[in-house]
Amino acid sequence: MIRLSLQKKLLAGSEAMQLELELSIPQGDFITLSGPSGAGKTSVLRMLAGLLQPDEGCIEINGEPWFDHHRGIDLPPQRRSLGFVFQDYALFPNMSVRENLLFALSKGQPRQIIEELVHVLELENIQHRKPGTLSGGQKQRVALARALVRQPAVLLLDEPLSALDASLRGKLQDYLLQLHRQLRFTAIMVSHDPAEVFKMSDQVVLMENGKVVKQGLPELVMPELSGGAHQRLSGLVLAATTSEKGKSQVLVRIGDNTLRLDAPASEGLRAGDQVEVSVSLISGVARKRD
């Protein structure tokens, strides 16, 4: 169990904001912090990592105090059992992929975890290349592997996939979920993408102005994240059918996902059409894009 009680005066733009957060996170859960920019989400990750000191409060991870203002406890980042994945990768440019992973090993730690992560994240063919020769998706896979080398109790993810295209983002989300199931670390991710939040999260924590305004299952918090229950996504029609009763359905590819959706017969959709899909939490309708 992660227990956070944090107070910190922050600057949100040109104005001061008081972050006051009380949060309990079950061990092994995948939690997403979401909400508007400037709400304090990244600051929470930085305080967990020991990169930003709270003004007051405490951080307790599985019974171990990492920070306690009143008891004078503040573990340095290297003594906290966590991995941190940044949006900008933060890889060592003068080291190969494999050397980046080896550098993250603790003293005396077996190298078997390197082989496992290289295999799971499909890094075999690039492990001897340097970061400057890699694509954005490849760099993000390496950054994820490096964060997991020490098998941390907590993995922090600060919008790690937001700069990638939808197809690649979906594949890396699948990698991350697979690793989460295998290694059972607790994950805390910052994301503004409602589709990503719904796909990845056991629970969602919605923050505004430095405070938690709602916490719960994605299907309960999602409407507030998106400003309504519906999302609009772009997709490609793979196939279209019309039943004897005149009911039309289409098979639509959205990123790495394929959905079978109802479509108004008047749209006249055909394979190859680009469509805009209006998706609620439980249903979807496809219409041809203008």
Side-chain angles (χ1 to χ4, degrees):
M1 178 72 75
I2 296 177
R3 301 185 187 279
L4 304 178
S5 177
L6 303 173
Q7 296 87 47
K8 179 71 176 178
K9 187 176 182 180
L10 301 170
L11 282 178
S14 59
E15 298 183 1
M17 178 184 73
Q18 184 64 34
L19 184 142
E20 296 179 355
L21 181 138
E22 300 282 340
L23 194 60
S24 294
I25 299 172
Q27 184 176 356
D29 269 13
F30 199 117
I31 302 297
T32 300
L33 306 180
S34 200
S37 298
K41 304 179 296 298
T42 294
S43 294
V44 172
L45 297 192
R46 288 173 53 80
M47 283 186 267
L48 264 165
L51 303 176
L52 180 67
Q53 187 180 74
D55 296 332
E56 297 277 350
C58 60
I59 299 171
E60 184 180 285
I61 310 294
N62 302 330
E64 178 187 3
W66 285 7
F67 175 83
D68 192 311
H69 176 75
H70 294 295
R71 295 162 62 187
I73 298 172
D74 187 12
L75 294 186
Q78 63 269 24
R79 290 185 56 195
R80 302 187 184 202
S81 178
L82 59 80
F84 205 142
V85 182
F86 300 89
Q87 185 176 342
D88 61 357
Y89 320 124
L91 301 174
F92 295 114
N94 61 324
M95 296 182 181
S96 69
V97 168
R98 190 171 188 86
E99 288 168 340
N100 265 276
L101 301 185
L102 289 170
F103 185 84
L105 280 173
S106 298
K107 186 177 181 180
Q109 183 182 358
R111 296 189 177 190
Q112 181 59 32
I113 185 63
I114 301 278
E115 309 306 327
E116 293 175 6
L117 290 169
V118 165
H119 174 69
V120 172
L121 286 165
E122 300 180 13
L123 302 175
E124 291 97 335
N125 294 334
I126 64 170
Q127 61 180 311
H128 300 300
R129 291 167 55 183
K130 292 186 177 180
T133 69
L134 305 180
S135 68
Q138 289 170 331
K139 290 177 183 177
Q140 198 58 281
R141 279 186 283 150
V142 177
L144 179 56
R146 191 181 64 177
L148 291 171
V149 163
R150 295 186 184 181
Q151 298 176 281
V154 183
L155 181 66
L156 307 178
L157 303 126
D158 190 6
E159 296 192 78
L161 311 179
S162 61
L164 306 177
D165 63 66
S167 178
L168 184 55
R169 185 162 63 245
K171 188 170 185 178
L172 285 175
Q173 288 167 353
D174 292 338
Y175 279 133
L176 186 51
L177 288 174
Q178 179 183 346
L179 289 166
H180 182 248
R181 285 192 297 268
Q182 289 178 352
L183 303 177
R184 296 311 303 168
F185 50 81
T186 302
I188 305 175
M189 178 176 70
V190 169
S191 177
H192 292 93
D193 181 351
E196 181 172 76
V197 171
F198 194 81
K199 177 178 180 179
M200 306 290 289
S201 312
D202 294 310
Q203 286 194 64
V204 182
V205 177
L206 180 60
M207 293 182 63
E208 291 181 8
N209 298 317
K211 297 175 177 59
V212 174
V213 295
K214 193 165 186 178
Q215 178 180 357
L217 299 172
E219 55 264 35
L220 300 179
V221 180
M222 278 290 291
E224 295 193 29
L225 295 180
S226 60
H230 289 79
Q231 301 296 309
R232 293 191 179 275
L233 306 172
S234 295
L236 175 69
V237 176
L238 301 179
T241 60
T242 303
S243 69
E244 293 180 358
K245 296 182 179 180
K247 183 178 180 180
S248 296
Q249 284 196 325
V250 288
L251 200 62
V252 180
R253 184 78 165 178
I254 301 175
D256 277 348
N257 300 305
T258 302
L259 305 177
R260 184 174 296 279
L261 303 171
D262 293 332
S266 59
E267 294 288 329
L269 294 175
R270 297 180 298 177
D273 284 343
Q274 295 287 334
V275 293
E276 183 178 79
V277 181
S278 176
V279 184
S280 75
L281 296 182
I282 57 173
S283 64
V285 175
R287 297 181 183 276
K288 189 177 294 185
R289 294 183 65 183
D290 295 333

